[in-house]
């Protein structure tokens, strides 16, 4: 009989909170969007599934051994923990949790040991998160793979499009300002580090957003990653109205000069030029851009194709699986369900809109300043969201002139936006994280 | 010994109960889908869609596809 | 001269014990069975090879740094260790080993440091085991890959076969009872946790057995894994006599109703239904069944095929290599050569036989209760051992009626058996491991 | 709030400065290579070379290639 | 304004030292040699790129958290560290660094915690190095992959060529003697462990050299790996003059007896024979040769081809990427730029030359002793550098007789050289590292 | 210096001794197999067997093969 009670009390149905039920539904919704609507499925399928796993009541997959021990609230264990922390009241789990997070490294180690001796272990997703994201390795490996998939040819043929990639990063910093502003008027409660991590959603680049969030605001990582990938999937809906509003029909019909051919040597040397520039100017961006350049060099140099193939396939796929599940671990109800999450979702879409507008407007400005004409529609591709944003530029352009193919021209600002976001990430880590 | 008997009873009970519930849930699910969401797509289209999905790279879906297309256009422009 | 002596004294021939020699032969035997007889070669080749490596005298590949220091028995190091443990006699290695395993976390860390400072390191296989199995990750990743290879179509077409998968798990629990019984009459010495880990051999599912054993009885893991994979390979010899004995010729000739086609949407939703049920009822099974459902969803959803392919190939292969070598590390002579190992081998085959019989008998019972007729031969497939057991059902069926193809019908209980074993694993971890 | 404005100014400034320098460096690099190291190899040869490289194994480049060749010779010797 | 100063002071240009600039150029040179000249590109591209990353000023990618804290030289952190170490002067970073490396495990843990609490983290490459090389796993996994690519057929057809593989290892030990000699006359400053690690360059086998260096002389690993791979790439230039000088035209024209066919069973049993011999004689070589034999057995046994394929492709490629970057982390200026590095480069080429000469001379000696004639040109292949050295033997042979194909005959000593170097590694680890 | 000489003597000695023993063991092994276990299978059959093995998945050998077969039958049943 005791066993039946034990089984029932350990069952999910007996322990499920409203928040967990809600988050399971959110997870199912993400899976629906990914599978049925094609929202960035490679990331949102693992993230959504991980989110469901993280909210299985009683399983504690997203918690550390100590957190699991606290949740289990076994009196003897709690007493031992309270003693180790030097806290009096051992019956109040919340007080213990506060005391634990306030305590030093010594106490952390001790409580971990206590929890493990009492039979509690780290949850599966907690381990995945630590190995894949807290260490920083998964976003970097994915960035290496993305580098190995990127063709800088269009950018090299027309380097001026780098300015469009720079302009679109204004969305990031405007959003940082917005987040700080909302906090200063008391609507939200974001630190400057939180604000920086939220702003990076405007970079429209998943691995960069996850990397920055893991360093500056790990608690917000779940919401930031979900926002970043969701809005990237929504780019075909978000961008066109803004692009049409800010351009005239004549501007949208501008035909651009055909791109010159780019030699293989230029393509080999470019990642090294970029790397040296990073080394000289912004070491804080070295991990992200270094791995990106490394991947690109492996692809372009032509002598290590088996490494490049692996970076683009087995390695990036394996990493994506664990990265997605790890992000899902941050969708755990008691951390995700928060007014701040709504703020993040709202600020994220603002960031995308401002970035799009900035790119288009700077393209128009560049046309005023002279040089070969630039169709301002390619400016919106500067937010990255590779290659969706470049496709959108092409599609909106075709509406005005069915013979004006902008895809290739838009790839320049598109990959420039990846570099721009990584630079912005470096600046923010350097100024805020140090 | 009694521990073993208990474990057997509760364990086997849970297994049977769980799989019985799964039978119910699966049957209900199949009927629900069959009635309200019958497969709309003919198999050929589905296969094509799957084939399409297979070509999408990780991290940035469609990246390779678009870049390939772009490179083709780029080359044919030369 | 000293060097020659040192070289000779460090050579394997000078240090080889009878037990190690015997285990090397066991390893060679496993390799022979795997390579020549086709016994589950993907696992038994790495396990057998790992077993040989683990028993190389003097190499200490399967031992921790502390164990290697104890084996080396350098007087100065032993004295330091004895002092750290607060033990008087430093010359008796066995006493030190006992004191070490009885000591707390603080002492463990200290002795590790002492051993490493004295130049001893963790063995290669010891490291593999910790990373792959002790962390739980390797069986889970393999389960994800198996999920991505599994087609639930036959099960969905005839959900009643889930009962056959449930029935066959009786082999597990009967064996637990047997193990406890043998211990209570003093023949063996198994704790209830040991008994549960041994019973899971009857689940006929490698990763599940390794996962449960790593949590409940790590010391028995080697014997349990070897038994599980060996008997899975022996299914074509173990099952047919039982199946024939329990069925009449008429029963074996029963033709089953043709399976209805199953839509893609059902296949996509099924892993989610299973996941929700796990979340509501048995959180302890969430890691195993969660990863299994995740793999299956990746396969069926059709939008993340590159992840699914990697899970079925590069990732599962890499994991299998390290899982096998890690299991081999538990074939080290002083842990494996034990009367308990014989008990495990004996109980394991009993578990297979009882599971087979239960499946067949319940199929006969279900025929009594009405519904569309079930050929009782497919009941034996409920033990899992995918897909060998389903093949055996088909083959025995063909003996009675050369036109009665049961393979497809047997795949239903076959994959149901995987779910059933994972549920049983969850119950036992929940009741015994907590 | 002032922190946010500072971060925006310095951040956006650095991004623009960095990418402007990259424009300069890239343009200079392209001109330098175009003038002093124009591509010598026709595309077909390059493709062949790449194809060849693709067959090289890791750790010991050419290992597989040579072993394959050796095995062929070995077998034809039988 | 403060921020601008902070940004500038954190920029690379403001912090770059001469040494770092020089090492960046070395890194670019390695990339040039790898990409343009085809010097072992699979390793030298990642190593060269890693070398550049490691020397990005201010990024600290190759340093631990403590080293990064020391480099940052924040007064408050330095004071806390000095206190923890029990050192008085907190303003002198060098003194602190010396005190740190002299301190025990307890202090190491404490300072790590201090550094992390102060916001410093381990560099990306530092983490890669620890996971891939310090643990020993990456060279072992690569060795497994090489084993899965190796065909022992030619060796089995003519086992006498094993002696050539033994002879060529004389280059290793002569170089050890040279390194010790240079130190005893005060020209260099190598310990006996350093000397052993340097000697292994003469083994002409990358993973073996990295494995031995990581165990015996981690500080020299960068120079040793660069020397080993560079000289392996230079084998077609280093070996032919020596081979021609030591042989007569008549000797170079010797035609060898056609190799007998080797059965599949011999190939399956050979790795096990080798493993047993290692177990009996030289356990210290068990990790290297064990993984090598395991890879080869997977390939030859024919029943685990999917594991063998993964070992030869995805797994070895992933490992090579991280191994290369990790080796690059040891090209950090303040550790690499040292008179010892020049000594290593000089001794390394001497090792290659002596090994080549020994192989050729022993082949000539074996001809004097009778048996079927051996073309002494295949003796040089005993240094390994698979398969470059075998190709060189073939090419030099063709110069003397355009119809004398030695490639297949040279593959025997070539793979024997891999075994020989691993045995030499085992001896040195056993005698020096214990 | 004497350490170096010792290391050379013992090291080189071990290498030669080990490889000499390997020559003996290998030769004995080859003769033993050649006499008592000559290759029974013609090469074609072996190749087929290997091909067959290649199709086996990890974790559960033959899983893919059987499932494929089953799916085929299942589909043809429709
Ligand atoms: Na961007
Ligand atoms: Na089962
Ligand atoms: Na060698």
């Amino acid at each position: 009989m005791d066993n039946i009670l034990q089984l029932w009390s350990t069952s999910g149905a007996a322990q499920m909170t409203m928040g967990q039920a809600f988050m399971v539904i959110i997870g199912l919704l993400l899976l629906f969007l990914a599978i049925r609507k094609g929202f960035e499925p490679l990331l949102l399928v693992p993230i959504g599934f991980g989110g469901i796993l993280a909210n299985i009541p009683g399983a504690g997959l997203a918690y550390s051994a100590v957190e699991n021990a606290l949740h289990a609230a076994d009196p003897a264990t709690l007493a031992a923990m309270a003693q180790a922390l030097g806290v009096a009241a051992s019956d109040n789990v919340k007080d213990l949790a506060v005391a634990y997070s306030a305590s030093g490294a010594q106490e952390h180690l001790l409580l971990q040991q206590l929890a493990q001796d009492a039979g509690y272990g780290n949850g599966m997703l907690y381990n995945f998160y630590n190995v894949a994201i807290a260490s920083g390795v998964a976003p970097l490996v994915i960035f290496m793979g993305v580098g190995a998939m990127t063709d800088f040819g269009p950018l090299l043929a027309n380097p001026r499009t780098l300015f469009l990639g720079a302009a679109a990063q204004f969305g990031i910093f405007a959003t940082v300002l917005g987040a700080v502003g909302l906090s200063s008027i008391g609507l939200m409660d974001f630190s400057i580090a939180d604000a920086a991590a939220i702003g990076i959603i405007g970079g429209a680049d998943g691995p960069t957003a996850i990397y920055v969030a893991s360093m500056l605001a790990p608690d917000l990582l779940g919401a930031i990653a979900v926002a970043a990938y969701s809005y990237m999937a929504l780019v075909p809906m978000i961008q066109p109205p803004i692009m049409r509003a800010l351009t005239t029909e004549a501007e949208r019909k501008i035909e651009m000069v055909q791109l010159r051919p780019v030699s293989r040597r230029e393509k080999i040397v470019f990642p090294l030029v970029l790397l040296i520039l990073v080394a000289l100017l912004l070491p804080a961006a070295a991990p992200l851009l270094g791995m990106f350049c490394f991947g690109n060099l492996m692809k372009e140099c032509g002598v290590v194709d088996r490494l490049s193939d692996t970076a683009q396939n087995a390695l990036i796929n394996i990493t994506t699986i664990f990265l997605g599940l790890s992000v899902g671990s941050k969708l755990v109800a008691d951390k995700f369900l928060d007014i701040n999450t709504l703020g993040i979702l709202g600020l994220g879409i603002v960031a995308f809109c401002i970035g799009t507008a900035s790119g288009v407007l700077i393209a128009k400005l560049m046309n005023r300043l002279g040089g070969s004409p630039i169709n301002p529609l390619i400016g919106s591709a500067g937010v990255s969201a590779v290659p969706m944003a470049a496709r959108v530029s092409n599609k909106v352009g075709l509406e005005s002139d069915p013979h004006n193919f902008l895809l290739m021209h838009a790839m320049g600002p598109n990959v420039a936006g990846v570099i721009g976001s990584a630079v912005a990430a470096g600046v923010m880590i350097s100024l805020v994280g140090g | 010994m009694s521990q073993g008997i208990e474990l057997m009873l509760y364990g086997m009970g849970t297994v049977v109960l769980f799989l019985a519930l799964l039978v119910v849930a699966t049957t209900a699910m199949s009927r629900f889908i069959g009635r309200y969401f019958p497969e709309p797509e003919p198999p050929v289209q589905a296969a094509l869609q799957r084939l399409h999905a297979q070509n999408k790279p990780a991290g940035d879906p469609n990246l390779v596809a678009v870049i390939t297309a772009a490179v083709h256009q780029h080359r044919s422009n030369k």
Side-chain angles (χ1 to χ4, degrees), chain A, chain B:
Chain A
M1 199 57 213
D2 272 5
N3 271 357
I4 287 187
L5 278 179
Q6 189 182 341
L7 265 179
W8 167 249
S9 74
T10 62
S11 81
Q15 303 179 64
M16 174 91 68
T17 65
M18 287 300 294
Q20 288 170 326
F22 183 74
M23 288 311 297
V24 167
I25 292 168
I26 294 282
L28 291 173
L29 178 69
L30 288 176
L31 289 176
F32 174 77
L33 291 175
I35 295 173
R36 188 78 186 142
K37 301 288 175 196
F39 273 35
E40 298 281 336
L42 290 163
L43 266 295
L44 286 185
V45 167
I47 290 177
F49 204 96
I52 299 175
L53 287 177
N55 287 287
I56 294 181
L61 297 181
Y63 295 116
S64 68
V66 172
E67 289 171 308
N68 278 326
L70 287 174
H71 286 179
D74 174 56
T77 313
L78 287 189
M81 287 184 150
Q83 196 190 355
L85 288 170
V87 180
S90 74
D91 55 345
N92 191 327
V93 171
K94 273 199 182 161
D95 288 1
L96 271 179
V98 170
Y100 171 64
S101 61
S103 68
Q106 199 80 11
E107 284 80 19
H108 271 72
L109 273 172
L110 194 57
L111 258 75
Q112 268 170 39
Q113 208 55 54
L114 272 173
Q116 270 163 10
D117 289 354
Y120 301 97
N122 291 331
M124 175 182 81
L125 296 177
Y126 178 86
N127 284 336
F128 288 176
Y129 180 85
N130 273 338
V131 171
I133 297 188
S135 72
V137 74
L140 294 175
V141 168
I142 289 188
F143 227 56
M144 176 174 72
V146 171
M149 290 173 182
T150 299
D151 178 8
F152 281 117
L155 182 70
L156 287 168
N158 189 5
R160 279 203 309 154
T161 54
L162 277 162
F163 286 116
L164 302 175
Q169 309 316 315
F170 186 67
I172 294 179
F173 294 102
T175 306
V176 173
L177 200 60
V180 173
L182 285 177
S183 300
S184 73
I185 61 172
L187 262 178
M188 295 283 161
D189 178 29
F190 295 126
S191 69
I192 182 78
D194 292 347
I198 294 167
I200 205 74
I201 296 173
D205 200 54
T208 303
I210 292 172
Y211 185 77
V212 170
S214 73
M215 297 190 78
L216 299 182
D219 280 348
L220 308 181
L221 191 146
I224 289 173
V226 167
Y229 283 106
S230 301
Y231 295 146
M232 278 163 67
L234 287 173
V235 150
M237 266 165 280
I238 297 172
Q239 289 195 325
I242 300 169
M243 293 157 73
R244 288 192 205 104
L246 295 178
T247 50
T248 65
E249 181 73 15
E251 284 170 334
R252 290 198 290 274
K253 282 191 170 161
I254 292 176
E255 274 195 48
M256 293 183 64
V257 179
Q258 200 171 296
L259 293 174
R260 72 170 175 88
V262 173
S263 76
R264 210 161 70 83
R265 286 184 176 168
E266 288 173 77
K267 289 187 182 178
I268 295 175
V269 174
F270 177 74
L272 295 171
V273 167
L274 177 52
L275 177 69
I276 301 285
L277 220 55
V278 168
L280 290 179
L281 294 180
L282 202 62
L288 272 178
L289 282 175
M291 291 303 270
F292 187 65
C293 291
F294 180 52
N296 191 248
L297 180 67
M298 286 201 292
K299 174 194 171 225
E300 297 294 353
C301 75
V303 292
V304 294
D305 287 350
R306 58 180 287 159
L307 300 186
S308 166
D309 288 347
T310 297
Q312 292 176 48
N313 292 289
L315 185 50
I316 201 174
N317 291 344
I318 293 171
T319 310
T320 301
I321 290 173
F322 290 105
L323 180 82
L325 291 174
S326 301
V327 169
S329 80
K330 290 290 176 182
L331 300 190
V332 71
D334 54 6
K335 291 177 183 165
F336 188 85
L337 288 178
D338 192 296
I339 183 71
N340 285 342
T341 296
L342 288 182
I344 291 168
L345 292 174
L347 287 165
I349 195 145
V350 169
F352 265 67
C353 295
I354 297 179
T356 303
S358 312
V360 173
L361 292 175
I362 291 293
K364 292 175 68 165
L365 179 66
M366 284 169 72
N367 276 343
R368 294 270 170 92
L369 297 179
S372 54
I374 291 175
N375 188 315
L377 291 176
I378 71 169
S380 64
V383 297
S384 11
V386 183
M388 195 76 89
R391 283 183 173 181
V392 168
S393 297
N394 189 53
K395 189 159 161 271
V396 176
L398 288 178
E399 288 170 10
S400 295
D401 175 356
H403 300 295
N404 194 4
F405 290 94
L406 293 174
L407 183 60
M408 207 55 209
H409 297 285
M411 287 308 295
N414 213 195
V415 297
V418 177
I419 299 173
S421 305
V423 171
V427 177
M428 299 205 290
I429 290 170
S430 168
L431 287 183
V432 175
Chain B
M1 194 67 197
S2 69
Q3 266 187 312
I5 293 173
E6 266 186 58
L7 188 53
M8 187 172 89
L9 289 179
Y10 296 117
M12 204 57 209
T14 308
V15 169
V16 171
L17 179 69
F18 186 92
L19 292 191
L21 282 173
L22 189 56
V23 172
V24 173
T26 301
T27 310
M29 180 270 284
S30 286
R31 278 200 199 144
F32 182 80
I33 287 183
R35 178 166 310 174
Y36 297 106
F37 300 98
E39 200 94 300
E41 33 195 357
V44 172
Q45 193 186 330
L48 278 176
Q49 194 173 328
R50 179 169 293 184
L51 194 74
H52 180 67
Q54 220 156 4
N55 292 326
K56 287 185 192 174
D60 293 289
N62 302 325
L63 182 57
V64 159
V66 161
I67 289 179
T68 309
V71 165
H72 273 295
Q73 197 193 328
H74 183 49
R75 288 213 176 121
S76 58
N77 281 349
K78 285 183 194 180

